[in-house]
Structures are given as structure tokens and as C-alpha cells.
Amino acid sequence: MPVKEGAVRRRAPLNLLTAAAAALATVVVAPLAGPAAPAQAVADHAAVAHAAHKDAPTGQPSVEVFASGGGIVADGADVVVSVVVANPSTDMVTAGHVTVSVTTGALRTPAALADFRTHPTAATRRNLGSATTASVAAGGTTVVARVTVPAASLALPSSKPGVFGLAASVTTSSGTLGTGAGTLVVPGASPKRVGVAAVMPLTVPTSSSGLISATDLATYTAPDGVLSRELEIAQSNPSLTIGIDPKILVSIRVLGQSAPATAKTWLADLADLADLTGNPTFPLQYGDADPVLQLQAGLAKPLQPSDFTYAMSPGDFSSAPLTVGEPTETPTATPTPTPSPTGEPHLPPLSELTGFRYSLDSIAWPAAGTVRATDVKRLAGAGLTDTIVSSTNTNAATVAATPDAALDTAGGSVLVTDDALSSALQTAASATDATESSVATDALNAQLALASENAAPGTVVLASLSRAWPTDASRAATAVGSVLDSAFSHPATIESARASTPTPGLTFVDHANPSTRLQPAGELLDLAGEPRSGGTVPEANITSFSNVLTNPLLLTGDVRARLLTLFSVGWSGSPDWSAAVTKQYSSMQSTLSAVQIVSPGSIRQASRQALIPITVENKLAHPVDVVLRATPTSTRLEVESDTTKTIAAGSSAKVLVPVKAQLSNGTVFLSLQLYSESGIEIGDLQTAQIDVHADWEGVGALVFGIIVAGFFGFGLFRTIQRRRREKAQAHG
């Protein structure tokens, strides 16, 4: 399911009794006179843990453990170990006992660390201490114990850097509750610092709409909105590379003067990003569409937006070209636009709507673990010479050293993200409270320490944030800052990652999108009329149908934007995507039947020449120009010509078909078909039944003549008779 803005994990509040029990559970391991944990450290660890242990069955209690100081063991300092129990069940977890331990040897590779986190009970460990644990109410998550381990009891080598596994095993009266896994990092006397480049997508929650509504824009660009939070993260970390979804820019600009004030301000701040902080930027595909999904679905190259006139109102624009949020070459050198000769509003063209001064323009960023080497080559041929891929698209797990981000393939360049480091960064950036942040920071420092320990000199690793949205900009900015410039790292850029030396033995491993994603994408493309390899464009498709409009882009531009949005990387793996695709497919089919002949039924023709009225309905939001062609099934009826008619938006109109009947009676069926002016069939074929009585006109005239003649004859007869009577009377 797509991530919702502001969505956070529900947790039970830490009540006073639980807090008191947790405090009582704190124990100091020998020597007993060791210093207690600082008050601030206790306060920082008094909240809830970030997540349940991955081994715990759904709905079952689980254990988490983390150490103070971000898990980094300072020489000669004590370590406070916090133990957290999450209880999503409907039963209380009773008070119990916890044993804290550490691995006897260092975990030297990311694979070893991942294995320990998954199976901490399988590792050889040394006990550091124990304590009683507090109970946890049903549905609650609580810090159940803290164990202070004096430096003398740690017995970890301080001169040599290393990452050690930290475990906490909790038992209650009901038996073993579980074992949580964390880390302790020994930095050594002088730790190496590996170059880290970080990249973040600037996107919004997924939708099936081709544009972001004004209401959503106002929400996203509010002081605590998702776009404001993302921009704050970028502003706080000048080395962070930003991939910008052009849909955001277009959605603000098409509204012109009607755009929310916060959205205009946000767009101006984004435009200032390069000048004020220097963050590298590059465009994502429109709607953050997955370019590889499109190629694997059969397109020759990724789609681009085509037109947004359908979404603009002339009243929202002046006669001057659009400048809202567009960076200029220099702050003072803004050219004076030439007014429109007629003074009519200037609707910005596509280039103005999508334009931005990007520092990088050749990067593709598809969904993780879905790329083939041939896709990289085809993207390079389309101008996207660098493709960001997940390390799951490589054999990185089998390479002893921490792999460099750079990887060359035949025909294209690849930038490989370190999945373990990226996952830790995302978790830290998404933390919703101080304790969750501490847990995530422990994991992040462990990954950085391993990277610095294993990497060759000059190595640059790439960390990425996912298409999720942090709930706290400050914590997220701090997390990004820590990964870029910690005790084990220094900031690097995408350019330096691209220029670094590929790690020997690192190879590309092909993966592809699942058929459950490719097939629906292909069906949408076919119905839209987008030619693709292996596809079959139906005769009735959006591209051909759009010719019924004077400006076909009013329709195809909207459909193209919606398709790109549905191809968003953010939809990958979402159970809601199928329903969104089905809805769009149905909408496109409805569009194809939006201009139709209303079934005419039976029509009586009582004259030799007539204009037969046929009703045509237009449900589109734009006027259409149609040509009605009528073809009779019998020579009794002759259609003189096709009829052209403009049907207003959202209305119906009568189209008069001129016909001529022969001097015979009978039933004639008239086939009726609409066409665009370019000859494309529109809508379904309809049939009208015409009852022809073409000789009624002559018979009627004859009958009328007889009646008139009879009337005058009868009058003449009566006149003659009357005169005879008058004459007879006169002679009598």
C-alpha cells in the first residue's frame, strides 16, 4: 500500500508504572561501583523502539536492543544497553529476565552482519550482564530494561576497528520471549573514511491522476507537508543529490495565478536550491515513472509528457510568459517578456511547464532489482547514460570488499546503491521518535564502519533514500548528514561515484519486472495506442480516437500523464496498483465510447426527399467535429452526402442526413457510422429502420385533385339545376 503522508506506527504510551519498572530494571554489571548512565542518556532512551524484530511471527511479542552513543564504543567509556519489547498481542507480557551478550569475534562483512541480525542465537556470544524486565501491556511497546556495562567489562579491542554483534535474550514465566540483535562498533585508533554519495527522490504519494490537485499541493507544501520536509532535508545537506519529479513542477505551473501561495513559495525555494546550497539535481521521469518498466513492456524508449493545455484556464495567466519558480541565469538579469500582440493570455508551452535548471540530466532511477543489462544499454541510447540500480542487481553479496558504486556494462554506465547502507539510512530518516532514531543510528553506524573497514582506497559508495516520506524533517536531515559525514565517511557526489574505479569482481546480474506488472502496463499502452514490441494496438484506441478533437493533444496529453503516473516507481510492489490500473483501463474504454450515435430506432419517411434527424451524443469535456456517414441497404433510398457537425462539450445534437427515396414503398435499413474529419471511425455502428412511403406524395395530389374537381363539379351542377328551376317558374 502506498505510504500515506504523516503515517506513523501506533504505540502505546509509556505510563508511569512501566517507566518506574524499567528504571528499577536497570542494573550495573561489575565492577559494581561503575558510573551510572547520565540523566540525558536515560531520557533519550525512555521512548519506544522503532520496530519489532524481523524473526517474530506476526502478532507475537518481539525484542529489540540498542546501545548508547549510536552503538559506537568510545575508548574507556561505559555503554548503556536498552532492551525493548513490542507486544502487538492481546495478552500482557509478564515481567521476566534479560541477558545481554556480545559476539566473541567481530562481524567483518555486511553478509555476516545481516546473518547475525537475522539469527542472533546462532552466533557465539559472551555475556555482558543481566537484569529483570518490566511487564508490557497488550498492544504496548516498552523499554523493559537498561543494562549499564562498564568499559572494563566490555573487553573489546580498542586499537583495531570492528563491528560486534549485541544480543538481548528475554525470558518470562511463559518461556523464552525472543532475542533482539544490535551492534557495538569499535572505531579503532584512526578509522578510515569512505566516500559516500547520497541520492534522494523528491516525490509525492502515488496516485492515478496525471496532475496533483490544488488541494493536495496546498497540503504537501504546507510548513509540515511532505514536499516541505523533503526540501528541508535537501537544504540541510548540500551534498545530497536530488531527483525531482517534473509532475510537481507542472502541477503548480498549470494553475498559474490560482496555484496555492505555499506551492508558489515552495517552487521558488526549490529553484533557489542550486544557488543557495549547491545540491546536484536531475529530473526523474514524469510522475517518477519507471523507465525500465516501460522498456520491458515493449516501448522503444520511455514516454515523455506531451501536452497540458487540457489542465489550464486562460483566466489564470497573463500575456507574459510563465516565470513562477523558474530559475534565471543571474538574479538580476531577468529579461522583460514581449507581450502578446493581441493582449490575450499566454498559456505556457510544455517547455515552460517542465523546465528547470538541472545540474545533471542523464540519470535513470528505476525500481530496485528489476533491471537487465540490455535495459541499461537501451536507456543509454535514449540519452539516460547512467542508471541507478540496487546492489541486488549485482553479485555484491559475494564480493569480499565493499563494492564501489561505479559499474560499467556493455553500452551503458551503472551506479550501484549499497542496499544495506541504504536500508539503514531510510530507517534512520523515517524514525518517528528519539529511541527509534537511536536504534536506526546504531544500524547505520555499523554499516558505515564495515564500509570503511572493507573498502579499497578511493572507493565511493552510493546510499539512497526510498520513495517513502519522512515524518520528521529534522531527524531525516540529521540521518542524511550522519551518513555523509560520520567518523567513517566523508561526503561524495554522484559525479565522483561515476568517476571512481569499479570494484574487481563486481558484475551485473539481470533481473526483470514480474509479469503481474508488465502485462497490465502493456495492456494500458495498447489501449492508449502506444506502439510497442509484442503489443497489439486495438482498432479503437485513444490515439486514433483523439482525432475527433480539433486538438487531439487535449485528450492524449491527459492520458499520457495518467499512464506515466501509474508507471511510478512508488507503485512497485503495492497491492493497490492493480485496482488503479483497472480503473484507468475502464476510464479509457469509457472515453472511446464517449462520442456515440444514439440508437435511432424506426423512422417513417413519407416524402420523396427528406432530412432524417440522427442524435449524436458527446460526453467529452471538449467539442468534437464528426462526420456522419449513412449507408442504405436498398436502392429504395439514396443518401445524397455525408454530414459534418460540431457537437459541443457534454451535449448532444441532431445531425440531419439528406436522403432521397425512389417511387416504391418498403423498409430500408440505414447503417450509421461516425468518423473524424481525418477518416477515423468513431463509436459503434448503429442501424436505423426507415419505412419508406415515397408514392404517397403523388397519390395524395391525385386524391386532392379529385376532391377539388368533385367540389367544383357539384357546385356547377347545383348552379345549373337552380337556373333551370328559376326559368321554369318564369314561364309558368
Side-chain angles (χ1 to χ4, degrees):
M1 179 176 290
V3 178
K4 301 291 185 183
E5 180 188 355
V8 296
R9 187 180 294 103
R10 297 184 62 186
R11 305 182 186 279
L14 187 64
N15 57 45
L16 294 178
L17 291 176
T18 305
L24 290 174
T26 302
V27 63
V28 178
V29 180
L32 294 176
Q40 183 59 48
V42 173
D44 288 344
H45 296 82
V48 294
H50 79 295
H53 185 59
K54 67 178 69 177
D55 280 349
T58 302
Q60 296 299 311
S62 59
V63 181
E64 284 282 354
V65 60
F66 59 95
S68 56
I72 299 176
V73 180
D75 191 17
D78 299 343
V79 172
V80 178
V81 177
S82 296
V83 182
V84 181
V85 171
N87 180 21
S89 72
T90 57
D91 299 320
M92 173 182 286
V93 173
T94 59
H97 182 268
V98 61
T99 300
V100 176
S101 57
V102 66
T103 56
T104 55
L107 308 172
R108 295 298 179 187
T109 65
L113 175 57
D115 185 62
F116 173 77
R117 288 189 177 279
T118 305
H119 306 291
T121 56
T124 303
R125 309 193 306 271
R126 174 172 54 86
N127 286 347
L128 295 176
S130 61
T132 57
T133 60
S135 60
V136 184
T141 300
T142 305
V143 178
V144 296
R146 294 190 185 87
V147 178
T148 299
V149 184
S153 299
L154 287 172
L156 299 177
S158 59
S159 60
K160 185 178 181 180
V163 176
F164 295 82
L166 179 67
S169 299
V170 177
T171 58
T172 68
S173 59
S174 301
T176 301
L177 186 68
T179 299
T183 53
L184 290 174
V185 177
V186 177
S190 181
K192 295 185 297 182
R193 291 164 68 94
V194 67
V196 176
V199 59
M200 180 185 82
L202 201 157
T203 58
V204 296
T206 52
S207 74
S208 56
S209 174
L211 289 165
I212 307 168
S213 69
T215 300
D216 285 343
L217 282 173
T219 300
Y220 296 156
T221 58
D224 194 39
V226 59
L227 287 176
S228 296
R229 295 197 298 268
E230 291 176 341
L231 188 58
E232 183 179 337
I233 295 169
Q235 292 168 335
S236 301
N237 293 279
S239 298
L240 181 63
T241 300
I242 311 298
I244 301 173
D245 181 358
K247 177 181 174 180
I248 303 169
L249 312 181
V250 174
S251 296
I252 297 173
R253 289 170 175 165
V254 296
L255 296 175
Q257 298 170 2
S258 295
T262 55
K264 295 178 183 178
T265 300
W266 181 91
L267 190 54
D269 290 342
L270 178 66
D272 289 338
L273 195 65
D275 294 328
L276 299 180
T277 63
N279 292 81
T281 56
F282 67 92
L284 299 170
Q285 295 289 291
Y286 184 89
D288 191 23
D290 189 334
V292 165
L293 172 65
Q294 297 172 65
L295 295 184
Q296 292 181 3
L299 291 178
K301 61 182 180 180
L303 297 175
Q304 299 295 330
S306 57
D307 189 79
F308 294 98
T309 306
Y310 68 90
M312 290 185 281
S313 173
D316 290 329
F317 298 90
S318 66
S319 60
L322 183 66
T323 59
V324 176
E326 291 186 14
T328 54
E329 293 299 323
T330 62
T332 58
T334 304
T336 301
T338 302
S340 170
T342 62
E344 296 178 354
H346 172 87
L347 291 183
L350 183 63
S351 59
E352 287 185 22
L353 294 173
T354 60
F356 193 80
R357 192 174 60 191
Y358 297 105
S359 56
L360 304 166
D361 59 3
S362 60
I363 296 177
W365 193 359
T370 63
V371 187
R372 305 168 304 187
T374 53
D375 299 324
V376 175
K377 182 177 181 179
R378 293 174 64 192
L379 288 173
L384 299 171
T385 55
D386 298 288
T387 302
I388 297 176
V389 303
S390 160
S391 57
T392 56
N393 257 126
T394 71
N395 66 334
T398 65
V399 177
T402 297
D404 199 289
L407 176 62
D408 291 328
T409 62
S413 173
V414 168
L415 297 170
V416 183
T417 63
D418 187 305
D419 282 0
L421 180 58
S422 297
S423 178
L425 172 59
Q426 181 62 41
T427 302
S430 302
T432 58
D433 54 57
T435 299
E436 188 173 354
S437 179
S438 295
V439 175
T441 301
D442 279 16
L444 189 57
N445 285 331
Q447 294 295 338
L448 288 170
L450 285 178
S452 68
E453 182 180 348
N454 296 329
T459 294
V460 176
V461 297
L462 181 61
S464 66
L465 287 163
S466 71
R467 269 76 168 184
W469 304 276
T471 56
D472 188 300
S474 178
R475 285 197 181 95
T478 299
V480 173
S482 66
V483 78
L484 290 172
D485 193 10
S486 72
F488 311 102
S489 63
H490 65 81
T493 63
I494 288 283
E495 291 93 330
S496 61
R498 184 166 44 192
S500 58
T501 303
T503 301
L506 184 67
T507 59
F508 195 89
V509 177
D510 280 355
H511 289 290
N513 280 279
S515 60
T516 52
R517 191 155 166 82
L518 290 175
Q519 182 176 343
E523 291 172 353
L524 285 176
L525 291 169
D526 288 343
L527 191 59
E530 302 286 357
R532 67 184 184 100
S533 174
T536 302
V537 176
E539 184 176 349
N541 62 79
I542 295 296
T543 298
S544 62
F545 174 79
S546 66
N547 285 279
V548 75
L549 278 69
T550 302
N551 179 8
L553 289 174
L554 291 173
L555 178 57
T556 57
D558 183 18
V559 171
R560 175 73 64 84
R562 290 176 183 272
L563 290 190
L564 287 169
T565 297
L566 280 174
F567 295 159
S568 171
V569 173
W571 280 114
S572 180
S574 169
D576 296 330
W577 187 65
S578 179
V581 168
T582 299
K583 182 178 179 181
Q584 176 60 26
Y585 195 88
S586 297
S587 175
M588 292 163 65
Q589 288 181 316
S590 296
T591 296
L592 293 175
S593 60
V595 180
Q596 288 282 5
I597 299 170
V598 177
S599 180
S602 179
I603 300 172
R604 178 179 293 273
Q605 181 181 349
S607 61
R608 188 178 182 193
Q609 290 185 316
L611 295 174
I612 296 177
I614 303 296
T615 302
V616 176
E617 185 178 40
N618 173 25
K619 296 180 181 179
L620 296 178
H622 309 286
V624 297
D625 296 322
V626 295
V627 177
L628 177 59
R629 180 169 301 166
T631 306
T633 59
S634 170
T635 56
R636 289 192 181 96
L637 202 64
E638 177 184 337
V639 178
E640 296 182 346
S641 64
D642 294 343
T643 306
T644 301
K645 182 79 172 182
T646 299
I647 314 296
S651 67
S652 59
K654 300 289 187 183
V655 179
L656 302 179
V657 179
V659 297
K660 180 187 296 184
Q662 303 301 320
L663 292 177
S664 61
N665 299 333
T667 299
V668 177
F669 291 97
L670 201 60
S671 296
L672 303 170
Q673 179 65 59
L674 291 176
Y675 292 85
S676 68
E677 291 187 330
S678 59
I680 304 296
E681 286 189 2
I682 304 299
D684 298 327
L685 180 71
Q686 295 287 351
T687 301
Q689 178 179 318
I690 311 298
D691 295 328
V692 179
H693 297 276
D695 55 349
W696 283 19
E697 197 174 77
V699 171
L702 178 60
V703 171
F704 180 75
I706 293 173
I707 293 173
V708 171
F711 177 78
F712 281 106
F714 180 71
L716 180 61
F717 173 76
R718 290 189 61 188
T719 301
I720 294 173
Q721 288 295 99
R722 187 181 67 251
R723 288 182 177 179
R724 285 179 178 175
R725 286 195 302 270
E726 291 174 350
K727 186 176 181 181
Q729 291 174 356
H731 290 286

